[in-house]
């Protein structure tokens, strides 16, 4: 009878440890997903900032001002 109880306790202990290991893997996977998502958002913000910078640099007003400066330099 004592051997059966010890066997049952050992079986439940091993099952509990296996479930804890699986849960820890799930937590680690979720953490990795969150880190990757934050990196993705950061990179998207950088891309949007670069797009804004390109839009500003290639706007007609900026290009017209640069053209006028070039014309003045050529005339001198």
């Amino acid at each position: 009878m004592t051997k059966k109880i010890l066997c049952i306790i050992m079986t439940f202990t091993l099952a509990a440890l296996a479930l804890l290991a699986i849960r820890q893997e799930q937590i680690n996977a979720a953490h990795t997903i969150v880190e990757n998502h934050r990196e993705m958002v950061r990179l998207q913000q950088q891309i949007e900032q670069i797009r804004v910078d390109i839009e500003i640099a290639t706007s007609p007003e900026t290009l017209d001002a640069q053209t006028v400066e070039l014309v003045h330099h050529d005339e001198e």
Side-chain angles (χ1 to χ4, degrees):
M1 181 74 172
T2 305
K3 288 183 181 181
K4 285 185 180 180
I5 292 174
L6 287 176
C7 185
I8 290 171
I9 291 173
M10 289 298 288
T11 303
F12 282 132
T13 303
L14 292 174
L17 289 174
L19 290 173
L20 284 173
I22 291 170
R23 180 66 182 142
Q24 187 62 45
E25 288 178 16
Q26 290 175 339
I27 291 171
N28 290 342
H31 178 71
T32 302
I33 289 170
V34 168
E35 284 181 338
N36 289 340
H37 181 69
R38 286 181 182 154
E39 179 69 11
M40 180 185 70
V41 168
R42 187 184 65 78
L43 291 173
Q44 284 177 339
Q45 289 172 344
Q46 284 181 347
I47 289 171
E48 287 302 317
Q49 183 59 46
I50 291 171
R51 285 182 178 164
V52 168
D53 294 343
I54 290 171
E55 185 68 28
I56 291 170
T58 59
S59 68
E61 296 84 18
T62 305
L63 292 177
D64 287 342
Q66 290 174 354
T67 304
V68 168
E69 287 178 15
L70 288 175
V71 169
H72 288 307
H73 287 296
D74 288 342
E75 291 174 355
E76 293 174 1

